[in-house]
Amino acid sequence: FADNTKRGSWFVKFYTQWCPHCKRLAPIWEELALGAASAEWAVKIAEVDCGRDKAICDKLQVHGVPTLLMIKDGDVVAKYSGEHNLKTFEEFLLTQKSAGTVVASQAAPAQTFDADETPKGTTATSTQALWAVATHLFNNFPTKSKIVNLYCYGGFVIAALVGLLLVCFRHADQGEEEDDDHDKTD
């Protein structure tokens, strides 16, 4: 991976086999790669399976999938965060070209890599970070099963609502008792 991406511009998809979003993205990504190859774009389209090549994803700080990174001469220069469709990918690549991120090179169809590279300065917005944490918790806590997690979180929400209602009713009952005591003294 490091040898391949140290020269030129690469738009790389990081994915896993089990990810439903990655599965929906796969045909769009393949179409983008074929279009890049046939039009001889200056950027190469590639993909890395984080389930198989975890070391690459860890070194690039890929914590959620799918993650789409623009790599130029071995350095991560941009992270794509738009919609997953051919038109927005092409628009993103054009903005990268106008920003000087994309360098002239021969395009190639999507490739799968394994090796190492460390990113320089990739950051997420607070909304992206919050969404990533919530998604990670939902997918992995307390179990790896999304349906079991859904029932667990649903149970927590119901328990919290019941507790809130009990507190409200107890407070209302205390208010009625004070009113009854006040009426008896009159």
Side-chain angles (χ1 to χ4, degrees):
F1 181 81
D3 290 340
N4 287 318
T5 59
K6 72 176 152 186
R7 285 194 197 101
S9 298
W10 294 81
F11 192 30
V12 184
K13 173 183 77 168
F14 296 87
Y15 72 101
T16 59
Q17 296 287 330
W18 51 264
C19 167
H21 299 293
C22 299
K23 288 178 184 179
R24 281 194 296 273
L25 177 58
I28 300 167
W29 195 256
E30 189 63 31
E31 188 177 346
L32 179 70
L34 292 173
S38 65
E40 298 183 358
W41 289 358
V43 64
K44 297 175 187 166
I45 309 298
E47 57 187 21
V48 174
D49 183 350
C50 291
R52 198 183 80 221
D53 300 312
K54 188 171 178 354
I56 297 170
C57 297
D58 288 345
K59 290 207 178 208
L60 289 170
Q61 299 176 2
V62 174
H63 302 296
V65 290
T67 295
L68 308 174
L69 299 178
M70 175 61 72
I71 299 173
K72 179 182 177 190
D73 297 330
D75 294 328
V76 174
V77 293
K79 180 177 180 180
Y80 179 82
S81 60
E83 291 183 38
H84 291 173
N85 62 54
L86 198 57
K87 182 181 177 191
T88 57
F89 288 152
E90 290 172 351
E91 289 171 357
F92 172 75
L93 292 173
L94 285 173
T95 62
Q96 295 302 308
K97 184 176 181 179
S98 66
T101 303
V102 175
V103 296
S105 66
Q106 185 72 11
Q111 302 172 26
T112 304
F113 297 116
D114 32 40
D116 310 296
E117 187 58 47
T118 305
K120 306 219 178 0
T122 56
T123 58
T125 65
S126 58
T127 305
Q128 290 171 326
L130 182 60
W131 183 254
V133 169
T135 302
H136 178 73
L137 284 175
F138 179 74
N139 290 336
N140 299 307
F141 181 79
T143 68
K144 296 277 185 191
S145 169
K146 288 183 183 178
I147 192 73
V148 172
N149 290 351
L150 181 63
Y151 283 112
C152 288
Y153 288 127
F156 292 142
V157 168
I158 290 171
L161 289 173
V162 168
L164 181 64
L165 288 173
L166 287 174
V167 168
C168 289
F169 286 130
R170 184 174 298 160
H171 181 69
D173 285 344
Q174 287 175 349
E176 286 179 15
E177 287 176 5
E178 289 176 5
D179 287 341
D180 289 343
D181 289 342
H182 182 66
D183 290 340
K184 288 181 184 177
T185 57
D186 287 341

